Structures are given as C-alpha cells and as structure tokens.
Amino acid sequence: MSTNPILQFGTSRFLQAHADLFLSEAMAAGQPAGPVTVIQSSGNATRNARLHALTQGFPVRIQGLENGAPVQRETRVTSITRAYDTATDWPEICAAALHARIILSNTSEAGWTPQPADTLGHFDQSMSYPAKLTHLLWSRFQTTRAPVQLMPTELVPSNGDTLRARTLSLAQNLSPAFQDWLAGQTFANSLVDRIVSEPLDPAGAIAEPYALWAIEDAPGPVPPLPPPPLEILPRPAIEIVADLAPIERRKLHILNLGHTYLVANWLKTDRARPFVRSLMATPEIRADLASLYESEVLPTFAAAGDTSAPAYVTATLDRFANPFLDHRLTDIAQNHATKLGHRIGAFLDWSATLGLAGTQPRLAAALGQNLRSL
C-alpha cells in the first residue's frame, strides 16, 4: 500500500503542469516533496487510460516568452506513483489517506456543487467533492487521528475556509467527536495561476512559463514544497502571503475577466480564429482589450489601493499574446454564463461599492448582451 505523503484529488492537465510538475522537480533535486497518490473523483471510465499513464511519468512542455526571449523546454514529471478512482477503489483510497500529510485538490468548481447524496451517512460516488472528502476524513479519523492539511486549489473564494465550512457542516451527520477533530485540522487558502493550453495524450500538458501558487499564511499551513523555491522554476512559483484577497481579485478581475471579455466578443462575431493568441495578433482587438483595462478596470483597482494591478495587466497582455500556446477560445467559453457573472458581473458590483458605477460601458454591454443571448 502507498505511503505517499501527498494525496491529490484531480487529474486535470492544470495539476499535471502545475503542482505535479513542481513536486517532480523538487523530488529530482532531493527535496522531501512527495511522492503523490492521485485520485480521480469524477468516475469517468473513459479517463482510465490517463489515470494509468500518470503513474508512468509524463511530459510537460513549457512554451512562451521570458523577458522577451522565446522559451521552449520539456520536463518529464515523475511525482505520481499511485492512482485510484473513487468509483472503483474507495477502500484503497481510504487506506492511502491514512498516510497522507497533505490532501491537495483541483476538482473544478462544478465538483463543489452540493448534491442530493451529500447528506447520506455513507460514501456515494454521486457526492460532491467536499462530501467525498468528509467521508474520507471520517474513515481516517476512525483509524488514526493524526493531523492532516487540506490544500484546495479550486478557483473558489477563500477556498480553504469554504471547504472547512462545508466539511464541518457535513460532519454533523457523522459524529460530534469527528466534527471536533475536523475543526482542528488545517485548511489552507490558496490560489493558483498558470495557463495550461493543451493536454497531451495519454497524459501531460503544454503550459506557459508563468506560474504562481500563493498560499495564505496562517497558523499551521505547510507548503507542499520546502522553501526556497526551486531555481529551475521561471519565477518564485510558491509564495506565502499575508492576504490572498488582492491576488485573487487581480487574477479574477484582470486575467479571467480579460479572457471572458474576449470570448464575449468572439461569440457574437467571427469565430474563425480559434485561439487567444490569434485574437491578440489582431491589432484592433489587442488595442481594445488594452484600452478596456486602462479605462474600465484599472480605475477600480486604483480606488481600492492596489498598486500592483498595472504591472499585472502588462504581464497579462503578454501572456495572452504568447505565440506558442494554442489556448482555445472554446475552452474558455465553457460555462460562459457562470463566468460572466463571476468575472464581469461581480467586478461591476465591486466597482459600484467604490463609487464607480456606470463607468464601464463595454463591460456592462458584454455582460448584458451575452446573458440575453444564452
């Protein structure tokens, strides 16, 4: 049975080119950072080939610009040594969880949506991720009460606090003692940022050089990689920060907002250009996005006192224009209505609280026109 110290829920190409890559590089450098047991929680049998391939090692290609110079390199990721599926391997997963020090997740925001089965007194495959995690921790609690750290990386505001609240609520149905133990575990708020444009078959991914894993400092959190960050990474990819909120706002309301704004216009015009880079190679489209940031986005960040936003806008425009990444607009367009609300609608609401209501006509038009057409 695996005694891997890290248990990872999620097999996405993002995790392959982010956390799994970082951990693999750390292990290769002799640092105590793994290995990883990966868990597929969707129950999708068509992904079984990828699940097996993850344990065999897989390539991650980094392509983009660093300080204006093109970068193309490939690394073989070998941090994953065990792989299970919640639909078929629940007993093995419970056994593996007994040895985990960190439980990492990126199951998509949809995986957090409450399901009818969540209140059952036993594990069920149709449960949401927080409910599955609760039952996994319940199984661990019944055997060992050793502490464990939960590190969600889903794009959910205050993801650690949110996951703690969900699991504590669900634990009420199981045991008061378990709920007390669960309340004492560490749930770390974190944010991840990297554009991972394409999967490789059967496993692996293509990603940009930029990478960030910001973890909010609090009593207890231990990052999955020991400091200092590895020199091989293009920038200090793992940062311990006092407050995640400014970083979350920049990512959501600059990078993610920009993506959704591009898609909103793309959906109502010529869809022949399939990639973000092809839009950014069109001078009038890049100029429109740059102007949008300057006149409708940055004033809100300035009103909030965020002096780092202009530099983040500059980096974002360069990341969007990366000539090596096939970042498909169809991928960004998935769940478009939800993204419009989270990325543009919430930004307009935030702006209104800062006294800037009615000053963002292009964002308001993108939100209204797209919601009416959906």
Side-chain angles (χ1 to χ4, degrees):
M1 174 54 61
S2 167
T3 57
N4 294 353
I6 298 177
L7 194 69
Q8 172 184 303
F9 275 84
T11 64
S12 68
R13 70 193 192 215
F14 177 83
L15 282 175
Q16 293 171 46
H18 192 270
D20 298 332
L21 170 62
F22 300 168
L23 292 164
S24 181
E25 291 176 333
M27 290 170 64
Q31 298 186 25
V36 177
T37 297
V38 69
I39 309 299
Q40 176 174 284
S41 59
S42 67
N44 187 342
T46 63
R47 298 177 181 173
N48 286 345
R50 178 172 66 182
L51 194 63
H52 173 72
L54 290 174
T55 66
Q56 307 304 302
F58 54 87
V60 171
R61 298 175 192 163
I62 304 300
Q63 299 179 334
L65 300 174
E66 289 180 342
N67 300 319
V71 170
Q72 297 188 70
R73 61 177 178 264
E74 182 171 308
T75 301
R76 188 159 188 84
V77 175
T78 58
S79 51
I80 298 172
T81 61
R82 296 283 191 278
Y84 298 114
D85 189 326
T86 56
T88 56
D89 305 317
W90 188 246
E92 291 83 357
I93 293 169
C94 291
L98 296 178
H99 308 285
R101 292 185 294 104
I102 292 173
I103 298 180
L104 166 69
S105 70
N106 192 296
T107 58
S108 83
E109 291 73 56
W112 286 41
T113 302
Q115 300 298 323
D118 286 358
T119 56
L120 294 176
H122 56 85
F123 169 79
D124 188 273
Q125 175 58 29
S126 64
M127 289 174 163
S128 67
Y129 166 64
K132 289 174 181 173
L133 175 64
T134 302
H135 281 272
L136 182 67
L137 294 173
W138 169 236
S139 175
R140 176 185 172 114
F141 171 79
Q142 291 175 299
T143 303
T144 175
R145 301 189 181 186
V148 65
Q149 177 165 297
L150 294 307
M151 298 195 70
T153 63
E154 292 87 348
L155 188 58
V156 173
S158 301
N159 48 20
D161 294 339
T162 301
L163 187 60
R164 175 197 294 275
R166 287 281 300 279
T167 56
L168 283 174
S169 176
L170 292 164
Q172 293 177 358
N173 302 323
L174 298 171
S175 158
F178 170 55
Q179 191 178 36
D180 290 342
W181 175 83
L182 190 58
Q185 306 313 301
T186 298
F187 289 76
N189 293 318
S190 72
L191 181 140
V192 293
D193 189 0
R194 171 168 255 177
I195 296 173
V196 183
S197 61
E198 291 184 71
L200 298 175
D201 188 41
I206 299 174
E208 66 172 338
Y210 181 97
L212 174 66
W213 191 349
I215 302 166
E216 192 169 70
D217 194 15
V222 177
L225 298 188
L230 295 175
E231 293 182 359
I232 193 172
L233 296 177
R235 52 164 288 156
I238 296 183
E239 299 180 10
I240 307 299
V241 300
D243 184 6
L244 272 181
I247 299 174
E248 289 177 336
R249 284 196 295 266
R250 285 194 290 272
K251 182 176 186 294
L252 182 62
H253 295 320
I254 294 177
L255 185 135
N256 296 140
L257 176 147
H259 273 152
T260 294
Y261 177 76
L262 288 173
V263 164
N265 291 328
W266 175 76
L267 287 171
K268 64 180 182 180
T269 57
D270 178 13
R271 302 192 191 186
R273 289 166 291 192
F275 306 122
V276 172
R277 61 173 169 78
S278 58
L279 293 184
M280 295 298 288
T282 305
E284 60 269 25
I285 293 177
R286 176 163 182 151
D288 176 65
L289 181 60
S291 170
L292 179 89
Y293 281 140
E294 184 67 27
S295 64
E296 299 194 18
V297 175
L298 285 178
T300 296
F301 282 90
D306 188 334
T307 59
S308 298
Y312 191 81
V313 164
T314 299
T316 295
L317 290 169
D318 286 343
R319 292 169 69 189
F320 285 1
N322 186 334
F324 301 103
L325 290 188
D326 291 342
H327 196 185
R328 297 184 181 277
L329 292 157
T330 51
D331 289 346
I332 301 170
Q334 293 178 13
N335 303 311
H336 185 55
T338 299
K339 290 176 180 177
L340 280 166
H342 289 167
R343 299 174 178 186
I344 295 180
F347 178 76
L348 294 175
D349 292 341
W350 179 42
S351 297
T353 68
L354 296 169
L356 295 171
T359 63
Q360 295 123 326
R362 281 176 286 178
L363 287 176
L367 178 66
Q369 291 172 5
N370 277 261
L371 288 177
R372 285 195 299 270
S373 66
L374 292 170

